[in-house]
């Protein structure tokens, strides 16, 4: 059974205060637990439902609806590469192939050394500087095969 | 005005904002009665910049007139329509403009609490906004006693988690309440029964950011900018095959041709224009002979399209439009919330047909099937997402049918990106 530290519980209680109802805090609480454990396990829903005193079905319903909650452990660095229209017409698909060929990284997959995971994104709002990707919380724009290689070198 | 100071590397800092006159409109607003602020917005003619173009003062007056309490102000910062990135520049470079706009709006509406619903794909914006909000609390622009004037407004960021549908206002409400982001039936409208069943106004980032400027120059002067039907400055964000993509602040009603060829420097690498999606991927695609359209809410329908979010995607002749259509449908299938059958099933069905055409396995009947499915979706989906999908199909085929036929006949793409 997953146990939350006192600090994490305090953080959830603090987030709860921003909303008139406990349900408002479900999404931020799930983010907090995901940050702590890397993904949302069955236990994660249990601990959030206990922390907010809400039924687990409600919490799990939210956690499984939104695309950015993960249900499997990710690698140390999460690449979120956009392939939507503006990125696609400027070559994003070639970058997906490049990640596959160079790093053995399939969309939705993780490298064998757990260094990178790859998510194909449905637009990250960097259309004017396409193609673009997020690595963890860092935005990288105007990507090419060469620049991706240089960028990923910085993430160990 | 919205992009004032953004070249200053510290433009997100409260002191830079204050030194350039920031928060002076709030001071002015607090000396007015709430109804006077709404009247000033009425005079300005401001229309919502999120896509629907609804008159802002009208929406506000509905909520202000509702006696239920508390009331809420939500900022829709979930610009998830592919092609759209206009709000991010305000969120990251001029966050205090939005915060000031929200405090003014909250006071006008009688709302003491606001949330900025920010898309999960913008972690940097979240950090910048949180810092800016903390600065605004420190300087007493937010809190229980704003600037000692006995007015209250609290503000926080609600971070989304990757669901395009949450840009739809009732789905956004569901999401803030901590539920799956699925749209609600209207009525009741959010202005009367929104978040936690209380009167709620939802405005886009760009809309709210116009407020300080309206109070600074007055509603009447503001109404002289742009076109009489759609006044004000507008942020147009341009991506794709142009020399200088980016966000441009121009008077509402600037033509698509002027945006592409004057401000963005024309087509990249001396290419030839093939098509433009003028307001985000669900707005009807336009062929090159339609780009003299003024980009405003009233004019675009006359040219067979919509202003949407003002997100222009420019495509040159290297682009395969069957593939663009497929990618747009793949997106909408992924983002369909699943609540209504026409959208949930229709988007997936359309995507599969487009995929087989793109892969060289399409049949002669497929174009008719695409049109039949999309016409059966039109007007029968719970919210505009499904209709957007149907509209994409109908407009791509209307303007570029030979390209679809060519794909089917030759069993391959003759264009290829």
């Amino acid at each position: 059974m997953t146990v939350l530290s006192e600090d994490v519980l305090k953080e959830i209680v603090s987030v709860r205060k921003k909303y008139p109802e406990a349900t408002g805090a479900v999404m931020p609480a799930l983010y907090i637990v995901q940050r702590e454990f890397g993904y949302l396990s069955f236990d994660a829903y249990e601990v959030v439902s206990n922390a907010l005193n809400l039924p687990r079905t409600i919490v799990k319903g939210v956690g499984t609806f939104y695309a950015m909650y993960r249900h499997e452990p990710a690698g140390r660095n999460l690449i979120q590469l956009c392939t939507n229209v503006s990125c696609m017409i400027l070559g994003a698909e070639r970058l997906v192939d490049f990640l596959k060929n160079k790093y053995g990284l399939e969309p939705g997959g993780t490298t064998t050394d757990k260094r990178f995971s790859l998510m194909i994104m449905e637009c990250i709002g960097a259309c004017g500087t396409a193609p673009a990707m997020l690595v963890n919380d860092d935005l990288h724009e105007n990507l090419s095969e060469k620049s991706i290689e240089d960028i990923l070198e910085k993430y160990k | 005005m919205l992009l004032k100071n953004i070249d200053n590397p510290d433009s997100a800092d409260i002191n830079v904002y204050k030194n350039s006159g920031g928060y002076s409109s709030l001071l002015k607003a607090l000396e007015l009665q709430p109804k006077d602020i709404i009247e000033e917005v009425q005079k300005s003619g401001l229309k919502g910049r999120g896509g629907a173009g609804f008159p802002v003062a009208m929406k506000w007056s509905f909520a202000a007139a509702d006696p239920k309490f508390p009331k809420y102000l939500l900022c829709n910062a979930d610009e998830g329509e592919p092609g759209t990135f206009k709000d991010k520049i305000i969120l990251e470079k001029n966050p205090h403009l939005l915060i000031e706009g929200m405090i003014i709006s909250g006071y006008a509406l009688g709302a003491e609490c606001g949330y900025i619903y920010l898309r999960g794909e913008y972690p940097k914006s979240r950090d910048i906004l949180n810092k800016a909000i903390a600065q605004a609390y420190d300087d007493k622009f937010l809190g229980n006693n704003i600037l000692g004037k006995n007015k209250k407004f609290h503000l926080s960021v609600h971070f989304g988690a990757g669901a395009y549908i949450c840009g739809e206002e009732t789905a956004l409400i569901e999401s803030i309440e901590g539920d799956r982001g699925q749209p609600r039936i209207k009525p009741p409208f959010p202005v009367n029964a929104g978040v936690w069943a209380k009167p709620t106004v939802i405005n886009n980032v760009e809309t709210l950011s116009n407020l300080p400027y309206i109070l600074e120059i007055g509603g009447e002067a503001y109404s002289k900018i742009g076109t009489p039907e759609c006044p004000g400055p507008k942020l147009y964000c341009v991506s794709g095959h142009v020399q200088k993509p980016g966000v441009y602040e121009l008077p509402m009603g600037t033509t698509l041709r002027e945006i592409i060829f004057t401000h963005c420097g024309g087509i990249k690498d001396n290419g030839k224009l093939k098509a433009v999606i003028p307001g985000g991927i669900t707005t009807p695609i336009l062929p090159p002979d339609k780009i003299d359209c003024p980009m405003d809410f009233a004019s675009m329908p006359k040219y067979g399209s919509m202003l949407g979010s003002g997100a222009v995607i420019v495509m040159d002749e290297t682009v395969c439009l069957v593939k663009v259509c497929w990618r747009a449908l793949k997106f909408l299938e992924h983002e369909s919330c699943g609540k209504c059958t026409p959208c949930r099933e229709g988007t997936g069905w359309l995507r599969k047909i487009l995929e087989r055409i793109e892969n060289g396995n399409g049949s002669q009947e497929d174009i008719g099937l695409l049109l039949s499915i999309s016409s059966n979706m039109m007007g029968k989906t719970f919210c505009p997402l499904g209709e957007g999908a149907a509209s994409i199909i109908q407009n791509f085929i209307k303007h570029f049918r030979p390209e679809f036929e060519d794909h089917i006949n030759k069993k391959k793409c003759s264009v290829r990106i």
Side-chain angles (χ1 to χ4, degrees), chain B residues 355-386:
Chain B
E355 201 161 284
R356 69 174 176 247
I357 297 174
E358 172 62 14
N359 291 339
N361 300 316
S363 68
Q364 296 298 329
E365 292 76 37
D366 278 344
I367 294 178
L369 190 54
L370 285 169
L371 291 172
S372 162
I373 296 165
S374 57
S375 80
N376 276 301
M377 290 167 70
M378 264 306 176
K380 300 180 187 73
T381 61
F382 208 89
C383 81
L385 190 148

Side-chain angles (χ1 to χ4, degrees), chain B residues 14 17 20 24 57 69 137 145 189 324 410:
Chain B
I14 197 165
Y17 186 67
S20 67
S24 57
F69 193 81
Y137 269 105
N145 187 14
F189 290 95
V324 170
K410 293 185 180 157

Side-chain angles (χ1 to χ4, degrees), chain A residues 89-108:
Chain A
I89 63 176
L90 289 163
E93 290 182 325
R94 283 198 301 275
L95 303 177
V96 177
D97 291 340
F98 176 73
L99 289 172
K100 211 181 286 182
N101 297 333
K102 169 92 186 172
Y103 297 89
L105 195 49
E106 298 279 349

Side-chain angles (χ1 to χ4, degrees), chain B residues 182-253:
Chain B
Q182 293 183 312
R184 294 175 178 172
I185 280 187
K186 293 188 275 192
F189 290 95
V191 284
N192 299 121
V195 71
W196 293 292
K198 294 293 191 287
T200 301
V201 163
I202 306 170
N203 284 137
N204 172 261
V205 173
E206 186 186 345
T207 313
L208 290 162
S209 299
N210 271 277
L211 266 297
Y213 186 45
I214 289 172
L215 285 192
E216 184 187 324
I217 67 167
E220 207 165 306
Y222 182 95
S223 73
K224 303 279 189 288
I225 305 166
T227 69
E229 282 173 300
C230 304
K234 175 80 191 89
L235 297 182
Y236 299 103
C237 50
V238 189
S239 62
H241 293 126
V242 287
Q243 301 278 13
K244 294 182 285 179
V247 181
Y248 293 85
E249 183 175 8
L250 299 165
M252 185 76 96

Side-chain angles (χ1 to χ4, degrees), chain B residues 120-237:
Chain B
E121 291 84 352
Y122 286 0
K124 187 179 168 195
S125 310
R126 173 199 56 199
D127 296 345
I128 291 170
L129 275 175
N130 280 333
K131 187 175 171 192
I133 289 170
Q135 288 179 330
Y137 269 105
D138 286 347
D139 280 15
K140 312 286 182 213
F141 294 122
L142 286 168
N144 287 328
N145 187 14
I146 297 170
L147 299 172
K149 305 268 186 192
N150 201 25
K151 304 283 187 302
K152 186 199 261 189
F153 192 70
H154 289 274
L155 182 61
S156 57
V157 175
H158 186 93
F159 201 42
Y164 165 70
I165 188 59
C166 291
E168 195 280 337
E169 60 179 11
T170 59
L172 187 151
I173 287 169
E174 290 278 319
S175 189
I176 287 204
E177 287 183 358
D179 213 332
R180 301 160 77 92
Q182 293 183 312
R184 294 175 178 172
I185 280 187
K186 293 188 275 192
F189 290 95
V191 284
N192 299 121
V195 71
W196 293 292
K198 294 293 191 287
T200 301
V201 163
I202 306 170
N203 284 137
N204 172 261
V205 173
E206 186 186 345
T207 313
L208 290 162
S209 299
N210 271 277
L211 266 297
Y213 186 45
I214 289 172
L215 285 192
E216 184 187 324
I217 67 167
E220 207 165 306
Y222 182 95
S223 73
K224 303 279 189 288
I225 305 166
T227 69
E229 282 173 300
C230 304
K234 175 80 191 89
L235 297 182
Y236 299 103
C237 50

